[in-house]
Amino acid sequence: MNGNAAEKKYNKWIIILSVAIPVVVALLFGVNLRKLGYDVKPLSFLPPIYAAINGLTAIVLVVSVMAVRRGKQKLHENLMKFAIFLSVCFLAMYVAYHMTSDSTKFGGEGVIRYVYYFILITHILLSVIIIPFVLITYVRAITGSFERHRKLARITYPLWLYVAVTGVVVYLMISPYYAH
């Protein structure tokens, strides 16, 4: 079975996950367990942890690209699996935080407010767009379609890196406004 044929068996899952993840996150983002009457403590300790996970993801992505450029394919593969794992951990913590805590409003004024919202909006949009890119890029690698994997990775990598780095930037910009 060639790479293209092998990839086709994953297409249904790529589509399902690419739609389901953002929809479920959006739905859960709107659910606040405390407002629904559940006696849960706000998970206010999570934002610096998931921001650090975003930072670690960015580092892992850069090191992974350096590894593959040096011919260390197995290290690259393991680092990419770790980057996907980190992204899943981030997502779980992000949703858990927002299900137990009130949203924090950005308090900056003037130009910095526009900068913050530009970074936030591009971060959110690209975090949704990156899902199928990561999944397709990964499937191309595991099915042995390495040339097609490399071509798509040239797009996936900078987008994913942008999402990871801007996740940290958004946290740093809004962290002074968290209620303590």
Side-chain angles (χ1 to χ4, degrees), residues 102-119:
D102 294 327
S103 288
T104 301
K105 302 250 187 274
F106 182 71
E109 297 176 3
V111 173
I112 196 69
R113 184 173 189 78
Y114 295 106
V115 170
Y116 171 78
Y117 281 108
F118 174 81
I119 294 169

Side-chain angles (χ1 to χ4, degrees), residues 87-167:
S87 292
V88 171
C89 289
F90 161 83
L91 198 54
M93 287 183 212
Y94 178 81
V95 168
Y97 169 76
H98 284 285
M99 289 182 70
T100 62
S101 306
D102 294 327
S103 288
T104 301
K105 302 250 187 274
F106 182 71
E109 297 176 3
V111 173
I112 196 69
R113 184 173 189 78
Y114 295 106
V115 170
Y116 171 78
Y117 281 108
F118 174 81
I119 294 169
L120 177 64
I121 290 166
T122 58
H123 170 79
I124 292 168
L125 290 174
L126 289 174
S127 71
V128 171
I129 292 167
I130 196 63
I131 296 168
F133 279 89
V134 169
L135 296 173
I136 294 167
T137 305
Y138 181 72
V139 164
R140 286 181 178 179
I142 65 171
T143 58
S145 298
F146 295 115
E147 188 54 41
R148 295 177 73 233
H149 165 80
R150 274 189 291 277
K151 283 182 180 176
L152 188 56
R154 288 187 178 109
I155 298 166
T156 304
Y157 169 68
L159 292 177
W160 194 358
L161 186 60
Y162 180 87
V163 169
V165 170
T166 56

Side-chain angles (χ1 to χ4, degrees), residues 13-14 17 22 24 31 45 70 95 107 113 128 138 142 146 164 167:
W13 288 109
I14 291 170
L17 289 171
V24 169
V31 173
F45 63 92
R70 291 189 174 121
V95 168
R113 184 173 189 78
V128 171
Y138 181 72
I142 65 171
F146 295 115

Side-chain angles (χ1 to χ4, degrees), residues 23-40:
V23 168
V24 169
V25 169
L27 291 173
L28 292 177
F29 190 84
V31 173
N32 187 308
L33 296 175
R34 291 175 39 239
K35 289 180 181 172
L36 293 175
Y38 291 95
D39 186 27
V40 294

Side-chain angles (χ1 to χ4, degrees), residues 62-73 75-77 79:
V62 170
V63 173
S64 178
V65 168
M66 290 168 51
V68 79
R69 286 182 179 160
R70 291 189 174 121
K72 299 179 179 181
Q73 278 80 11
L75 177 60
H76 171 72
E77 178 185 340
L79 288 169

